[in-house]
Structures are given as structure tokens and as C-alpha cells.
Amino acid sequence: MNTLSLFNDWLNGDGFYGMNRAFSPDVDVTETKTAYTVEMDIPGRTENDVSIELNDKVLTIASVDEKTAQTSEEENEEDKPQYLLRERRFAQFRRSFTLPKDIDTENVRAEFKNGVLSIVIPRKAESQPKRIAISVA
């Protein structure tokens, strides 16, 4: 088998890595008494490539690499490169997490630094028992 044949096998998805790999970023979720924290590794993306939505206790994080999508669509056939090996592919993802009832939806904050998205979701204070006075009729 010559080298070009080996590359062709990989390009057709027959290689060890295959070309049809799904992209799903790694996530850590932690909790403290005051908040839940979601940390997601998204290397090669910026805060402009990521959307975060919180709808009815479901947190959804999604991303489409717009630059790669536009470049692929705008290239004409003459200028389009012929890849021998392509592991860096256009990838989009969507991850959803159902959150507990005790979240404070008004104070959720997100930060993106060095390819890591951090979302802090504060917890509501626990309701304390309330003593009710009994009146005499």
C-alpha cells in the first residue's frame, strides 16, 4: 500500500480515526452551597462563536464555526484545496442540561477564557420555615 492510498483510505473514513467523528466538547459540572458551575472546553472558538440559552430550567450551549462554514461555501472548485489528510474539520455542537429547581435564573453569568467556557448559575436561598401566629377568635 503506498502513502497516497493510505491517505485516501483515511479520507474515505476507513482509517483508525475516520472522518465522520462527532464533536462533543468535554464538560465538568460542579456544585457548592451557593452555585452550580458548568465548565466546557471549546478550543479554537471565541465568545462570538458560542450561544448560551436558559429556557425553563434547560441550559443549552451551542456553537457553529462560522468562519470555516463561510470559507467552505465561498471557495470555487478551482481554488478549493485537495486535502491529503484532514483532521481539523468544521464542527458544530449543541449540548443541553436540565437544571435543578433551586437556580436563580436572573443572575447567571458566563465567561470565556483560554478556550474554556465557564457558566456560574447561582442557587436561590433555601426557604426557611416561617412561624405562623395563631389568633384567638
Side-chain angles (χ1 to χ4, degrees):
M1 173 183 282
N2 65 29
T3 305
L4 187 54
S5 178
L6 174 65
F7 284 129
N8 285 335
D9 288 346
W10 279 12
L11 287 171
N12 292 326
D14 298 330
F16 176 74
Y17 292 104
M19 294 306 291
N20 297 319
R21 294 178 294 189
F23 174 66
S24 182
D26 294 333
V27 176
D28 291 333
V29 180
T30 58
E31 75 173 308
T32 64
K33 290 181 180 180
T34 60
Y36 299 97
T37 302
V38 177
E39 292 184 320
M40 178 180 282
D41 292 341
I42 318 175
R45 304 289 169 102
T46 69
E47 64 278 1
N48 298 325
D49 299 326
V50 179
S51 69
I52 305 168
E53 293 180 8
L54 181 57
N55 184 14
D56 196 27
K57 307 286 189 227
V58 176
L59 177 70
T60 301
I61 306 165
S63 177
V64 174
D65 188 351
E66 297 291 340
K67 295 176 295 235
T68 306
Q70 288 172 356
T71 302
S72 295
E73 293 170 3
E74 292 173 359
E75 291 175 344
N76 63 38
E77 290 301 316
E78 293 175 8
D79 295 334
K80 198 170 186 176
Q82 297 299 313
Y83 288 95
L84 298 178
L85 174 62
R86 186 173 187 186
E87 293 181 346
R88 301 181 322 148
R89 302 211 13 119
F90 165 69
Q92 60 185 17
F93 70 87
R94 177 178 220 80
R95 302 272 319 254
S96 295
F97 305 90
T98 302
L99 302 174
K101 295 179 182 179
D102 68 341
I103 64 168
D104 179 2
T105 59
E106 299 302 315
N107 293 305
V108 176
R109 62 186 189 277
E111 177 182 293
F112 196 87
K113 183 176 182 181
N114 296 330
V116 178
L117 174 66
S118 298
I119 304 169
V120 177
I121 307 154
R123 297 174 89 164
K124 290 181 183 175
E126 291 182 24
S127 59
Q128 299 298 321
K130 181 179 178 183
R131 195 167 205 69
I132 300 174
I134 302 172
S135 61
V136 179

